[in-house]
Amino acid sequence: MGQEIARAQFSNTDFDLFHRRLEEETALLGRYVRNGECSSRGPITGFELESWLVDSEMNPAPANAAFLESFGSSLACPELAKFNVEFNSMPQPLRGEVLSRLHSDLGELWRKARTTAESVGVDLVAIGILPTVPAESLNLANISEMNRFRALNEQILSARRQEPLKLDISGHEHLSVEHQDVMLESAATSFQIHLQVPLERVLDYFNTALLVSAPLVAVSANSPFLFGKDLWAETRIPLFEQAVDIGGFREASHGPLHRVGFGSGYARHAISEVFEENFQHYPILLPILSEAPPEQFAHLRLHNGTIWRWNRPLIGFDPDGCPHVRIEHRVIPAGPSIVDMIANAAFFYGLVEAFANEYSEPLIPFAQAKDNFYQAARHGLGAHVVWKDGEKLPVKPWLLHELLNKARLGLNRLGLAEADIAYFLGIIEQRTISGQTGSEWQRRFIAKFPGEFSTMTREYLNCQKGGEPISRWPL
């Protein structure tokens, strides 16, 4: 979905040709996977960070064109709304002092980006949902000037027969609104973690990423407020799911197959099953035809980019041109601080490595992993989950007494530096002990200063600039 397109209108012939090429590439990928013709490199890490541009009143500032022109880096690109920007990392082997390097690299990139933002009269903030964003700002006047975004909006509305999108979220409070376009999606920003592993292990790691999504979203929650309402600990989850609410073929909009969601099940035999499901069950949204050979998987990759599973397999290419499969873990929100985000990544890498290598099958049924995820997104560290043997566990002691130890074992197995393991998992431990996730800090602030969302966002931004982990932020 990162590529620009030449036009936003399509004919039936475009859809038919795209369908044929997608079918060919899906079959080809299946053969590649069965024959072991994808990369055996890894583990390799990377990330994407979506962020907000804000004005002096902490309202969204639609200035990404001016920001990107001034920033002048291939590591930054526009997002759906003019007040959002995405930053990307270079892939790195997941070993040694990689966590320190990621922290340093993201910190330096962020400092340069903040300086650039200030030079064009705005500021930059990483937060799952900007608490000050008004519904009226989420309109097509603020869509980024790219054909692909306008085409996406048109195709989604067409799939819905022009019916408005509806948000209906019940949490601490209740929010029910209608919206006329896909710009609701731009209110949800993430810190997306990428993990490339050898083809022969990617099935286990993908399933394990689903398994550990619940503790990751619980400990990283940073999006309690939307349009002045206190909703879920991680409101970004239901917001994104409802902002692009279309399903599969044959009027399946209310069935299990949604464009944004947790998925339909574990992959059973091969990771290519996910791409086969894409082809069989999801209508084509953007039939952008490519002249690239089938081995480049141009149509398969674009189609996959319009299906937003919370854990999504991606096809990429190694420096030597060999195709690889990597996992994109999308459950974690942006923010609160740079060090918090790297700690979240460390926790994810450690848990996935430990569980993928300790157990040959997922520990709990898929339906339970899915339910755990939504319970954790809704209640954060106050959630209860069901774990192996049907045991119901409160999340907080589960993190402290089992999962942190698992993550430590996993990071040690990867050969990461001991000092990094202790430092970044220590941040997760202190956040859990204090109970102060980004979501809880925001809730405590508004409990103390009701309705002061601009003041809270300014204080949040100041604390973010200070660089301390969220567990140390004062009110």
Side-chain angles (χ1 to χ4, degrees), residues 1 8 10 15 18 22 151-160 244 246-247 259 282-288 302-303 305-308:
M1 276 302 296
F10 311 107
F15 282 95
F18 190 99
L22 178 61
L152 184 66
N153 179 69
E154 290 181 14
Q155 293 303 315
I156 286 174
L157 292 180
S158 176
R160 292 180 57 82
V244 193
I246 53 174
R259 303 298 290 218
Y282 291 97
I284 295 160
L285 281 184
L286 297 178
I288 313 301
L302 178 58
H303 186 53
T306 66
I307 301 161
W308 297 272

Side-chain angles (χ1 to χ4, degrees), residues 69-212:
E69 182 178 3
S70 182
F71 191 56
S73 170
S74 61
L75 296 178
C77 61
E79 268 292 328
L80 175 63
K82 292 178 179 177
F83 41 73
N84 295 140
V85 181
E86 178 183 289
F87 299 94
N88 296 276
S89 73
M90 298 299 291
Q92 297 192 42
L94 191 57
R95 61 173 182 262
E97 297 181 341
V98 65
L99 295 175
S100 289
R101 290 195 300 274
L102 290 172
H103 185 211
S104 175
D105 291 351
L106 180 55
E108 183 60 27
L109 182 68
W110 193 252
R111 281 188 291 274
K112 291 178 180 177
R114 279 208 334 254
T115 300
T116 300
E118 290 168 3
S119 74
V120 297
V122 297
D123 218 325
L124 193 64
V125 61
I127 190 168
I129 297 174
L130 186 70
T132 55
V133 63
E136 53 268 24
S137 289
L138 304 176
N139 62 66
L140 293 181
N142 284 327
I143 196 169
S144 290
E145 298 293 342
M146 299 186 74
N147 286 332
R148 66 185 170 100
F149 293 133
R150 295 192 180 277
L152 184 66
N153 179 69
E154 290 181 14
Q155 293 303 315
I156 286 174
L157 292 180
S158 176
R160 292 180 57 82
R161 299 178 177 86
Q162 306 305 316
E163 290 182 9
L165 290 146
K166 298 177 181 179
L167 280 188
D168 194 333
I169 305 173
S170 292
H172 285 195
E173 298 178 281
H174 180 233
L175 175 68
S176 180
V177 297
E178 288 190 353
H179 209 76
Q180 299 301 320
D181 50 59
V182 298
M183 289 295 284
L184 281 171
E185 179 193 331
S186 66
T189 58
S190 309
F191 178 67
Q192 297 162 14
I193 303 170
H194 290 229
L195 175 61
Q196 179 185 339
V197 295
L199 175 65
E200 57 269 22
R201 298 306 318 280
V202 72
L203 180 75
D204 293 336
Y205 281 74
F206 174 73
N207 288 339
T208 305
L210 295 167
L211 188 74
V212 305

